Amino acid sequence: MLWWQNLPFFSIMLCIFSAAVCSVLPRRAARVWAPSVTGIILVMSVLLTAQVRSCGNSFVFTMGHFPAPWGNEIRAGLLEAVAACVFFAIMLLSVIAGGEHLSEDIMPDKQNLYCVTLCLAGAALLVMIYTNDLFTAYVFLEIMTLGACSLIMAQSRGRTLLAATRYMILNLLGSGLFLMGLVLMYGITGHLLMEPLREYIDTVLLKDGLSAPFCMSVALMSTGLAVKSGLFPFHTWLPDSYTYGTPSSAAILSSLVCKGYIFLLIKIFLRVIGMETVRRTGICNVLFVLGAGGILMGSLTAIQQKDIRRMISFSSVAQIGYIYMGIGLGSELGMIGAIFQIFAHGVAKSMLFLSAAGLSRVSGGSGLFHDLRGAGYRCPAAGAAFTVGAFSMTGIPFFGGFIVKVLLSEAAMLAGTFRMTAALLLLAVSAVLNTLYFLKTVITLYRAQDEPAAQGAHVSSAFKWGMCCFIALNMTLGIFSQPVVTAIRMGLSMFD
Amino acid sequence: MLAGLSVNYEEAAAVILFGIGLANLLLQRNLIKKIVGFGMMDSGIYLFLASIGYVKGAGAPIIENGVTHASAYINPVPGGLVLTGIVVSVSVTALMLALTVRLYKRYHTLDIDEITYLSRREER
């Protein structure tokens, strides 16, 4: 075994142990420890990406002493490594840029506990990216839910507690459905590892066509993960949890937690069930329709909002719709579009949440559009970041969102007539709707003020640097998109 | 259809239990009843798992009298999964109950609609 093949295992372990360490560290030390660990894991993931890319093959890491059909495994290919890089870069920047808000929003004696949940959520995210075992995925799915819930309720306000409760109720429903699907799958096949499962499904189960229990199991797992990631009719928990948490929590929830579930769903579709079989079960059609509904309803509701963070939350519903629409197209190109959207949306949405927090900070703490007039002049870094994020979300060239729309339209052209018409129409309509609410906000931010605005606090230099890094990350993803797309394509080919 | 149900009555009971729990988790307004519903839903899944692993006439998966053939013992994996699942659901229940306690201390009610109303009024 080569040295770099230990990297995924050690990054997971480092994250879990630093969660334990943070719980006993004093407040200041924990506040330094958690971002440093995130940084170390980012470096490890970059190293892993470079090595996997040069080696050109995925590898399997056996956990414990039992070999394949019984033991537990970690598997890493190019796509997993790239995803870990992007996710941990977002996490690091979110914690640094939102640091000032963290100090104010969370009671001093609870701040090291916040770092504990941060590390736990990071560990769960890594396991969902790397694991090769479905039941391990379920266990860490629940750890992710617990971590995310604690991230929301870190602030002790009535609305945050209620948002956390609502989050928990729908997420428990999602986990329950996922577990039921998983148990059903285990009952039919007797396997939990992804490769033996795939082999069994291809050679034994599908010999005499699709059976009802198998379809049911796939449907239950997809529904469970769709509920947890906030797909359209199940998105009711989403706006409150994003709006009332502290900005770093909102950034991490929208960019990492939801995306982790979708990444797991993609892994299950491609590695366990096989895309051909998924198409035959008809689940693609359901995901396509729900994704389309999400795109329309998310944008239409976002237009009606008066609060900037609520508007961004509803735009998340629309953007998650794009991901599911890409999966629902059922082709390789659609999948590449969906995965690129996971990255592009993650990078842009966390930046939007944090910059919105900075903008309302310099406007007397209010998030209402009325009070945000001219905020772009009061805090240039946040204004620029919001503008870049808004451009990316509306799909203006040279930004990540544009590449997503190109990839999805290409994928739509290759799909059947009905899907092509529906997807292209949706992309056009949603572009108009996104422009309506995002560019309206940008114009509000740079409007001359009629009266002198309420004097708010200044933003810290960490926030400004964080925003600059976020802008650079977004521009890089938009301008140098081709290497990323190639990496995703290579990663997907390593899945089989 | 009915013959299948009578043979697999454990699985059928498990799915019914799962359904009852799911409905309670979604439809009850009282937070404690919601948590009880969640517990029922998970118990249904564990019953399903346990019935998958059980082999009629076989013993517990510990080697006895030197018999090493697999057919003498039940499948140990579902038992392990049930135990792991129970640990997970206990921790989730604990967190939900802690949240409920904090909400009750603040609003003196367990009704989620009322809590929503009160928290909106508080914010204004």
Side-chain angles (χ1 to χ4, degrees), chain A residues 180-476:
Chain A
M180 194 68 198
L182 174 63
V183 167
L184 214 59
M185 184 68 91
Y186 177 73
I188 306 167
T189 60
H191 287 290
L192 285 169
L193 278 180
M194 293 187 179
E195 270 117 30
L197 253 173
R198 175 70 180 271
E199 210 181 304
Y200 187 88
I201 290 173
D202 279 351
T203 52
V204 183
L205 216 57
L206 294 177
K207 241 181 9 199
D208 8 286
L210 294 168
S211 66
F214 175 75
C215 291
M216 195 65 205
S217 152
V218 179
L220 280 172
M221 284 201 274
S222 321
T223 320
L225 288 171
V227 171
K228 286 178 87 77
S229 54
L231 181 60
F232 155 58
F234 319 112
H235 67 280
T236 43
W237 58 267
L238 192 146
D240 278 1
S241 346
Y242 289 3
T243 312
Y244 300 114
T246 182
S248 298
S249 299
I252 289 170
L253 275 169
S254 66
S255 307
L256 309 179
V257 175
C258 283
K259 305 295 162 8
Y261 299 138
I262 301 176
F263 195 86
L264 181 64
L265 182 70
I266 291 178
K267 261 178 81 165
I268 290 176
F269 274 2
L270 292 177
R271 303 210 46 229
V272 179
I273 301 160
M275 213 53 211
E276 187 53 43
T277 321
V278 173
R279 266 197 299 272
R280 271 168 61 199
T281 55
I283 286 174
C284 279
N285 303 339
V286 178
L287 290 182
F288 183 84
V289 171
L290 294 185
I295 293 175
L296 284 180
M297 290 312 293
S299 297
L300 286 175
T301 328
I303 291 175
Q304 301 162 4
Q305 301 304 316
K306 294 190 178 71
D307 183 289
I308 187 166
R309 278 180 73 181
R310 248 187 126 64
M311 181 204 83
I312 303 172
S313 311
F314 276 106
S315 129
S316 274
V317 178
Q319 299 292 329
I320 283 167
Y322 279 115
I323 302 179
Y324 278 101
M325 195 176 84
I327 299 174
L329 284 171
S331 59
E332 198 206 346
L333 209 53
M335 201 53 97
I336 293 174
I339 294 171
F340 198 89
Q341 165 75 349
I342 291 181
F343 298 159
H345 178 239
V347 171
K349 200 39 67 82
S350 45
M351 178 170 76
L352 280 172
F353 271 118
L354 287 161
S355 61
L359 289 169
S360 51
R361 191 184 171 81
V362 294
S363 312
S366 162
L368 299 175
F369 289 126
H370 176 76
D371 300 319
L372 285 173
R373 277 186 200 164
Y377 297 114
R378 292 195 287 277
C379 179
F386 191 91
T387 311
V388 169
F391 282 177
S392 176
M393 292 289 99
T394 36
I396 288 174
F398 303 114
F399 297 96
F402 172 71
I403 310 293
V404 173
K405 291 195 168 75
V406 170
L407 285 169
L408 286 181
S409 339
E410 274 182 52
M413 297 297 248
L414 300 176
T417 324
F418 173 71
R419 269 173 207 237
M420 180 184 79
T421 327
L424 291 180
L425 262 177
L426 264 172
L427 283 170
V429 170
S430 82
V432 174
L433 292 175
N434 283 342
T435 318
L436 264 180
Y437 60 86
F438 267 120
L439 292 193
K440 185 193 82 184
T441 314
V442 172
I443 291 168
T444 310
L445 291 181
Y446 289 103
R447 258 176 75 171
Q449 293 149 267
D450 308 333
E451 67 246 42
Q455 274 305 308
H458 289 284
V459 292
S460 65
S461 53
F463 177 81
K464 287 177 193 160
W465 279 110
M467 285 298 114
C468 292
C469 293
F470 259 128
I471 294 174
L473 199 62
N474 268 285
M475 300 293 281
T476 319

Side-chain angles (χ1 to χ4, degrees), chain A residues 82-274:
Chain A
V82 171
C85 287
V86 176
F87 287 158
F88 274 80
I90 296 172
M91 195 173 200
L92 181 64
L93 287 179
S94 306
V95 178
I96 291 174
E100 206 177 1
H101 290 276
L102 280 184
S103 318
E104 286 165 13
D105 290 346
I106 301 167
M107 283 185 285
D109 54 329
K110 296 276 162 60
Q111 284 180 9
N112 56 345
L113 295 181
Y114 188 84
C115 297
V116 172
T117 50
L118 208 65
C119 291
L120 272 183
L125 187 68
L126 278 173
V127 173
M128 282 207 270
I129 292 173
Y130 288 127
T131 188
N132 210 7
D133 179 276
L134 279 182
F135 200 77
T136 313
Y138 163 72
V139 171
F140 280 86
L141 202 86
E142 289 283 34
I143 293 179
M144 179 81 115
T145 311
L146 294 177
C149 178
S150 320
L151 286 179
I152 302 170
M153 63 187 263
Q155 229 173 337
S156 33
R157 274 167 62 191
R159 288 304 282 270
T160 11
L161 287 178
L162 185 66
T165 313
R166 285 187 182 283
Y167 176 84
M168 276 307 267
I169 291 167
L170 267 172
N171 269 272
L172 291 182
L173 179 83
S175 326
L177 291 173
F178 180 79
L179 182 60
M180 194 68 198
L182 174 63
V183 167
L184 214 59
M185 184 68 91
Y186 177 73
I188 306 167
T189 60
H191 287 290
L192 285 169
L193 278 180
M194 293 187 179
E195 270 117 30
L197 253 173
R198 175 70 180 271
E199 210 181 304
Y200 187 88
I201 290 173
D202 279 351
T203 52
V204 183
L205 216 57
L206 294 177
K207 241 181 9 199
D208 8 286
L210 294 168
S211 66
F214 175 75
C215 291
M216 195 65 205
S217 152
V218 179
L220 280 172
M221 284 201 274
S222 321
T223 320
L225 288 171
V227 171
K228 286 178 87 77
S229 54
L231 181 60
F232 155 58
F234 319 112
H235 67 280
T236 43
W237 58 267
L238 192 146
D240 278 1
S241 346
Y242 289 3
T243 312
Y244 300 114
T246 182
S248 298
S249 299
I252 289 170
L253 275 169
S254 66
S255 307
L256 309 179
V257 175
C258 283
K259 305 295 162 8
Y261 299 138
I262 301 176
F263 195 86
L264 181 64
L265 182 70
I266 291 178
K267 261 178 81 165
I268 290 176
F269 274 2
L270 292 177
R271 303 210 46 229
V272 179
I273 301 160

Side-chain angles (χ1 to χ4, degrees), chain B:
Chain B
M1 173 85 188
L2 277 177
L5 273 185
S6 64
V7 174
N8 299 321
Y9 61 92
E10 282 160 343
E11 278 88 344
V15 170
I16 292 169
L17 208 56
F18 179 84
I20 295 173
L22 193 90
N24 266 302
L25 179 63
L26 266 187
L27 304 176
Q28 287 286 356
R29 279 163 52 183
N30 187 310
L31 281 172
I32 299 286
K33 288 184 184 169
K34 268 186 192 294
I35 298 171
V36 172
F38 166 71
M40 284 171 77
M41 190 173 89
D42 270 8
S43 310
I45 300 175
Y46 303 143
L47 178 62
F48 195 99
L49 257 178
S51 67
I52 289 174
Y54 184 67
V55 181
K56 206 167 184 183
I62 302 163
I63 293 178
E64 263 178 45
N65 308 327
V67 181
T68 51
H69 197 264
S71 64
Y73 306 105
I74 65 163
N75 183 358
V77 177
L81 300 185
V82 170
L83 277 180
T84 321
I86 288 174
V87 173
V88 170
S89 70
V90 163
S91 49
V92 170
T93 312
L95 185 78
M96 272 302 277
L97 285 172
L99 261 174
T100 311
V101 168
R102 273 176 76 176
L103 279 173
Y104 185 77
K105 277 190 181 152
R106 207 178 172 105
Y107 297 112
H108 307 290
T109 174
L110 287 170
D111 188 317
I112 190 146
D113 292 345
E114 211 166 308
I115 293 173
T116 313
Y117 171 70
L118 287 173
S119 72
R120 278 200 188 134
R121 210 176 55 179
E122 184 188 63
E123 202 83 345
R124 250 176 235 140

